[in-house]
C-alpha cells in the first residue's frame, strides 16, 4: 500500500489527507471505554494515519489523545516516536473574549493533550450577530505569532465571514465543513474563495455517518431511534431527507456500488475519493469508533480512498452526477456552509 498522502497547511504543518475523527468519543455515540479507546489509536498510527481531529467539547477526546501521545513518548526508548498531528477546536460559549479567557481555554487543551503547543486550533462561533468572534480570533492570531499555535483555522464558518476574517489580516489555514456526495454546498461559494486564499477545506460527514456504504444498499428506510442509534446516523439521515429522500439515496448507492466494483473497492472508498478530488479539499475526516467493538475495521477503506491506485474516471463521475443533479439545492434550503448550526 502506498504511503498516506499529506497536505501542507499554510503555517507549514503537514497532515494526512485522511484524518481520524474523534467526535465519536464525545458520548453522543454511546458509552466509551477510555482505556480501550487509547489502545485502539495504535492501529491507525501503524497504518500511517497519524492525524487526529478533536475538540474541547468532544467529551474526553483531548484526554484520550493526550494519554496515547504520552504512551508513545514513553515507549520510544531512545528512538523518536511516530509524529502525531493533533487538531483540536476551540468552541467557546457566548461571552467576553478577552485574552485571559482565550488563553485559559488553550492551556486547558494543551494540558489534556499533553503538548507544549497546539498543532492547530479550529475556532467555532455560534452566533454571527455577536461580533466578539473577531476579538477571539485576534487573540488567537497573536498567540499564533507567539508560537503557542502552529495553525489557526475555523470550523463551520460561512464564506462571508471567512472573507471578513481574512480581510482583517488574520491568516486562516483551513475551514472544517460538511462536504459529501449528499452535501456539496462548499462548491457553491466557499471553494473559489479558499483556492484564491490558500485555505484548505477539511471535510466531515463525507460518509454520512456510515450511511454511504453497502450496509444500507437495498435496505428499508431507517426511521426509528433504534435504527438511527448514533448521533451521526440521525444527523445525516436528516440531511438525506432534505437532499432528496431515501429513494434517491438508494439510486446513489446503486451507482456507487457499480463504480466500486469497477475499481475493486468499497462504496466508502469511492465516496471519500470523490470529495478528496474536489478543488480546495485538503483532507477528509473519517470518524473512529475508538474503544468500540470493530474499531479500525474501516482503515483499509481509508487507505484505498487516498491511494493513487484509485482514480475515478469521467464515466464514473458522469454516472454519479446523473443521480446527484436530481437532488434538491441545499444552498437554497439550508444556506452556506455551517448555516445549519445557526438557523
Amino acid at each position: 500500500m502506498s504511503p498516506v498522502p499529506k497536505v501542507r497547511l499554510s503555517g507549514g504543518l503537514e497532515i494526512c489527507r485522511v484524518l481520524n475523527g474523534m467526535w465519536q468519543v464525545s458520548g453522543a455515540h454511546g458509552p466509551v471505554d477510555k482505556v480501550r479507546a487509547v489502545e485502539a489509536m495504535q492501529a491507525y498510527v501503524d497504518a500511517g494515519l497519524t492525524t487526529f481531529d478533536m475538540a474541547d467539547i468532544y467529551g474526553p477526546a483531548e484526554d484520550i489523545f493526550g494519554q496515547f501521545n504520552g504512551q508513545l513518548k514513553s515507549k520510544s526508548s531512545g528512538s523518536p516516536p511516530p509524529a502525531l498531528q493533533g487538531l483540536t477546536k476551540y468552541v467557546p460559549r457566548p461571552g467576553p473574549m478577552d485574552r485571559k479567557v482565550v488563553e485559559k481555554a488553550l492551556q486547558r487543551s494543551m494540558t489534556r493533550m499533553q503538548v507544549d503547543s497546539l498543532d492547530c486550533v479550529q475556532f467555532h462561533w455560534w452566533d454571527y450577530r455577536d461580533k466578539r468572534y473577531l476579538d477571539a480570533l485576534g487573540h488567537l492570531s497573536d498567540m499564533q505569532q507567539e508560537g503557542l499555535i502552529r495553525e489557526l483555522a475555523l470550523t463551520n464558518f460561512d464564506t462571508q465571514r471567512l472573507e471578513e476574517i481574512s480581510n482583517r489580516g488574520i491568516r486562516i489555514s483551513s475551514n472544517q465543513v460538511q462536504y459529501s456526495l449528499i452535501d456539496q454546498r462548499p462548491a457553491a461559494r466557499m471553494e473559489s474563495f479558499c483556492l484564491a486564499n490558500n485555505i484548505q477545506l477539511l471535510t466531515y460527514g463525507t460518509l454520512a455517518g456510515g450511511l454511504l456504504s453497502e450496509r444500507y444498499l437495498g435496505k428499508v428506510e431507517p426511521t426509528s431511534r433504534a435504527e438511527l442509534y448514533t448521533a451521526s446516523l440521525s444527523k445525516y439521515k436528516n440531511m438525506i431527507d432534505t437532499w432528496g429522500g431515501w429513494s434517491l439515496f438508494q439510486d446513489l448507492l446503486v451507482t456507487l456500488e457499480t463504480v466500486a466494483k469497477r475499481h475493486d473497492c468499497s462504496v466508502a472508498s469511492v465516496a471519500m475519493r470523490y470529495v478528496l478530488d474536489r478543488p480546495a479539499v485538503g483532507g477528509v475526516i473519517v470518524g473512529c469508533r475508538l474503544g468500540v467493538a470493530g474499531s479500525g475495521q474501516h482503515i483499509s477503506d481509508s487507505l484505498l480512498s487516498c491511494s493513487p491506485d484509485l482514480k475515478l474516471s469521467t464515466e464514473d463521475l458522469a454516472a454519479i452526477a446523473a443521480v446527484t443533479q436530481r437532488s434538491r439545492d441545499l444552498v437554497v434550503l439550508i444556506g452556506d456552509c455551517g448555516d445549519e448550526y445557526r438557523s
Side-chain angles (χ1 to χ4, degrees):
M1 186 69 72
S2 303
V4 175
K6 304 286 182 67
V7 63
R8 185 186 294 271
L9 302 182
S10 61
L13 180 69
E14 285 195 346
I15 63 173
C16 297
R17 292 207 70 202
V18 176
L19 298 83
N20 308 310
M22 296 182 69
W23 179 38
Q24 283 72 13
V25 303
S26 66
H29 295 73
V32 174
D33 183 325
K34 288 174 65 175
V35 174
R36 289 179 61 193
V38 172
E39 292 171 350
M41 293 176 73
Q42 188 65 54
Y44 292 87
V45 173
D46 289 345
L49 298 166
T50 58
T51 306
F52 292 85
D53 176 77
M54 66 208 84
D56 56 359
I57 61 168
Y58 289 0
E62 291 180 332
D63 288 312
I64 290 169
F65 177 89
Q67 289 175 34
F68 179 69
N69 192 28
Q71 288 180 14
L72 269 189
K73 292 175 181 176
S74 64
K75 288 177 183 176
S76 59
S77 64
S79 59
L84 303 183
Q85 302 81 47
L87 285 62
T88 193
K89 300 181 189 72
Y90 174 35
V91 188
R93 295 177 178 177
M97 286 289 113
D98 57 51
R99 165 87 185 213
K100 288 183 179 179
V101 169
V102 178
E103 193 166 16
K104 182 179 179 181
L106 266 56
Q107 290 290 350
R108 180 172 180 263
S109 289
M110 286 190 287
T111 299
R112 295 172 73 181
M113 294 170 68
Q114 299 189 30
V115 294
D116 298 322
S117 62
L118 293 167
D119 286 335
C120 179
V121 174
Q122 303 165 101
F123 178 70
H124 176 83
W125 191 253
W126 295 107
D127 185 358
Y128 292 143
R129 294 168 298 181
D130 183 347
K131 289 291 188 176
R132 287 177 291 189
Y133 64 85
L134 295 170
D135 297 334
L137 282 163
H139 297 311
L140 290 169
S141 182
D142 290 342
M143 292 178 203
Q144 182 184 35
Q145 297 301 315
E146 295 161 14
L148 205 62
I149 302 168
R150 181 91 179 262
E151 305 285 350
L152 176 54
L154 301 173
T155 182
N156 289 315
F157 270 74
D158 66 9
T159 311
Q160 179 184 338
R161 253 55 63 158
L162 182 56
E163 185 171 0
E164 172 193 40
I165 292 161
S166 298
N167 286 342
R168 285 179 170 250
I170 298 172
R171 187 184 73 191
I172 298 300
S173 294
S174 63
N175 189 21
Q176 188 174 136
V177 295
Q178 187 176 161
Y179 202 168
S180 70
L181 283 158
I182 303 298
D183 184 0
Q184 299 192 40
R185 286 176 295 155
R189 294 183 61 204
M190 180 75 64
E191 176 186 288
S192 60
F193 182 82
C194 288
L195 287 171
N197 291 274
N198 192 27
I199 298 170
Q200 303 286 340
L201 292 177
L202 303 182
T203 74
Y204 64 87
T206 304
L207 297 179
L211 289 165
L212 277 166
S213 67
E214 289 87 352
R215 180 180 178 184
Y216 289 92
L217 177 62
K219 297 296 171 106
V220 174
E221 180 175 5
T223 55
S224 69
R225 186 171 295 181
E227 293 169 305
L228 303 170
Y229 54 89
T230 69
S232 291
L233 288 172
S234 177
K235 174 179 181 176
Y236 296 113
K237 173 55 168 57
N238 287 337
M239 187 61 69
I240 289 168
D241 292 344
T242 305
W243 169 79
W246 194 250
S247 177
L248 184 60
F249 182 64
Q250 286 298 309
D251 290 347
L252 178 60
L253 287 181
V254 168
T255 299
L256 293 177
E257 185 192 38
T258 300
V259 173
K261 287 180 176 177
R262 198 177 290 151
H263 295 281
D264 193 24
C265 69
S266 68
V267 164
S269 292
V270 173
M272 284 188 276
R273 181 80 248 178
Y274 181 90
V275 175
L276 282 167
D277 286 342
R278 297 305 91 197
V281 171
V284 302
I285 300 163
V286 180
C288 304
R289 298 295 303 279
L290 300 173
V292 177
S295 173
Q297 64 182 335
H298 302 302
I299 288 176
S300 60
D301 289 337
S302 294
L303 294 176
L304 186 52
S305 75
C306 59
S307 166
D309 297 331
L310 179 56
K311 297 178 181 178
L312 300 183
S313 67
T314 303
E315 180 186 0
D316 297 332
L317 296 174
I320 292 169
V323 179
T324 58
Q325 68 188 10
R326 291 157 48 202
S327 68
R328 302 185 186 110
D329 187 339
L330 294 183
V331 174
V332 173
L333 294 172
I334 300 174
D336 199 1
C337 302
D339 281 357
E340 62 269 32
Y341 298 100
R342 302 178 180 90
S343 57

